[in-house]
Amino acid sequence: MSTAREPSSPDLPATMRAGRILAPNRVDVATVPLPEVGPADVLVRVARAGICGTDIHILEGDYELARFPLIPGHEFAGTIVAVGANVRLHRVGDRVTADPNLPCGRCPECQRGAVNQCHDLAVVGVSRDGAFAEYLAVPERVVVNIGDLSFAEGAMVEPVACVAWGLKRLRLEPGSRALLFGAGPMGCQLIQALKGAGASAVAVVDVAPSRLAMARRLGADLALQPDELPAARELAPLGFELVVDATGVPSVIEGALAHARPGGTLWVFGVAPGDARVSVSPYELFRRDLSIVGSFAINQTVPAAVSMVRSGAIDVAPLVSHVLDIERFEEGLEIAMHDPERMKVQFSFGEAGA
């Protein structure tokens, strides 16, 4: 494929800087060729790109869809600088993000609308190069304008889209009380989303004091250390209608059902290791009418997520705790993996990321 450039677009460099995962636990920052742009693609100059828990799983070698060597990164925002010959809806200069999932559109799952379960799913930053680079080429069909959102907010749209998809799966009953494990950047989005969807009260459990403080700021009715968990019963003496795991920690998931009231639901939102197992009593599921709901990634919810961020329904700006230049790629990954107080870590790309 040849690189397509609009006459009005500036001259583009032949190379760019990118953070790469070469193999599990091996990374570098390198100069690589600019992505090629197909006739139905746009080329985005990346302004901000955020580290997701999935990126950490890829780094550690326990994410099945990943292919190495890889430029990871699927949470991003930037400006279109070139378009393919068949692009019709987007122009050079548009401020955009994108749905990183690229379903085939042909398999039985795609045909029934379950595109996140596509049998031949490609994912930007997972099975093909992603946004931890100065430039990224993506199909026009997955591009969404962010308008006047900041680039930092635009790079948070994909995580919000994950929350939006989970809410669709959940079908939360108005007035439900929720117990949430994990007050990281995803947990703090979930607090806001659950309250906005009709939850009457949300209790949050985390080990990091700064995260608990953020949870309170963003609407949590109770924000507790794990040893304070019994106090959550003040909100729900008979148990919670909804219990949410946003940690991906198997032991947390295993213990979560004990806090659900009869007829309650456990929402498994966090990403556990692929080989992890938990023990659940099938009799308890049967006897107490319990449900377990999972939600994987996103399913055509990026436009809704843009609206949620723009309206203030989910305030993402306070959740960006670290902004680093891509030359500090390894340092950013270390912060995301090991700093218990950090929230969202984003990479910035020169003036475009200002």
Side-chain angles (χ1 to χ4, degrees):
M1 294 184 294
S2 61
T3 301
R5 303 177 185 178
E6 281 197 344
S8 59
S9 67
D11 290 336
L12 297 172
T15 61
M16 64 180 183
R17 296 292 281 170
R20 304 186 299 177
I21 300 177
L22 305 177
N25 299 306
R26 286 183 55 211
V27 305
D28 73 359
V29 178
T31 298
V32 300
L34 215 66
E36 292 188 331
V37 182
D41 295 341
V42 305
L43 184 69
V44 178
R45 184 185 180 196
V46 178
R48 288 285 183 94
I51 300 176
C52 172
T54 298
D55 298 315
I56 303 305
H57 284 287
I58 293 170
L59 175 64
E60 294 173 340
D62 60 9
Y63 200 73
E64 62 179 346
L65 297 177
R67 301 290 180 267
F68 301 111
L70 174 72
I71 301 172
H74 58 272
E75 305 174 2
F76 75 95
T79 304
I80 294 177
V81 294
V83 300
N86 296 337
V87 169
R88 295 292 179 265
L89 299 178
H90 293 91
R91 299 179 179 181
V92 168
D94 284 357
R95 296 159 54 87
V96 298
T97 185
D99 184 336
N101 288 348
L102 307 176
C104 72
R106 301 179 297 273
C107 74
E109 302 302 343
C110 285
Q111 290 176 356
R112 71 182 182 92
V115 297
N116 62 329
Q117 300 295 332
C118 171
H119 292 177
D120 192 25
L121 184 66
V123 184
V124 172
V126 179
S127 61
R128 56 182 276 174
D129 284 341
F132 292 159
E134 293 177 286
Y135 294 89
L136 172 67
V138 287
E140 182 192 27
R141 65 187 171 96
V142 297
V143 172
V144 178
N145 281 53
I146 63 170
D148 59 359
L149 293 182
S150 71
F151 289 128
E153 291 171 321
M156 293 291 288
V157 163
E158 193 275 345
V160 174
C162 294
V163 172
W165 171 237
L167 287 178
K168 281 191 171 186
R169 293 271 297 134
L170 197 63
R171 299 177 182 176
L172 184 72
E173 290 287 337
S176 294
R177 292 157 297 182
L179 174 62
L180 169 64
F181 291 93
M186 297 309 303
C188 285
Q189 292 171 65
L190 287 163
I191 294 164
Q192 300 174 78
L194 291 170
K195 297 295 280 288
S200 60
V202 178
V204 182
V205 181
D206 201 285
V207 298
S210 64
R211 289 183 165 192
L212 293 175
M214 181 66 73
R216 294 186 191 96
R217 172 181 171 183
L218 295 176
D221 297 278
L222 283 177
L224 307 167
Q225 294 274 348
D227 61 1
E228 300 172 318
L229 184 53
R233 288 289 179 152
E234 296 173 10
L235 290 181
L238 300 178
F240 290 84
E241 287 81 13
L242 175 65
V243 181
V244 187
D245 173 69
T247 71
V249 177
S251 61
V252 174
I253 297 169
E254 187 166 280
L257 271 176
H259 302 284
R261 74 176 299 173
T265 297
L266 170 62
W267 178 10
V268 181
F269 183 87
V271 182
D275 60 353
R277 298 292 181 268
V278 298
S279 177
V280 175
S281 166
Y283 179 78
E284 283 295 300
L285 295 177
F286 155 75
R287 177 65 181 83
R288 298 203 295 128
D289 286 331
L290 298 174
S291 300
I292 300 176
V293 173
S295 61
F296 171 63
I298 60 182
N299 186 353
Q300 304 176 88
T301 46
V302 171
V306 171
S307 296
M308 294 167 80
V309 175
R310 178 173 288 120
S311 70
I314 296 185
D315 184 5
V316 296
L319 301 180
V320 180
S321 62
H322 294 75
V323 180
L324 295 85
D325 186 90
I326 192 60
E327 298 296 334
R328 298 166 65 189
F329 179 57
E330 185 170 6
E331 180 185 350
L333 293 172
E334 288 291 324
I335 293 169
M337 285 191 291
H338 300 303
D339 184 347
E341 302 288 336
R342 67 102 182 101
M343 295 296 277
K344 178 60 69 175
V345 180
Q346 289 185 344
F347 292 112
S348 174
F349 296 83
E351 293 181 4

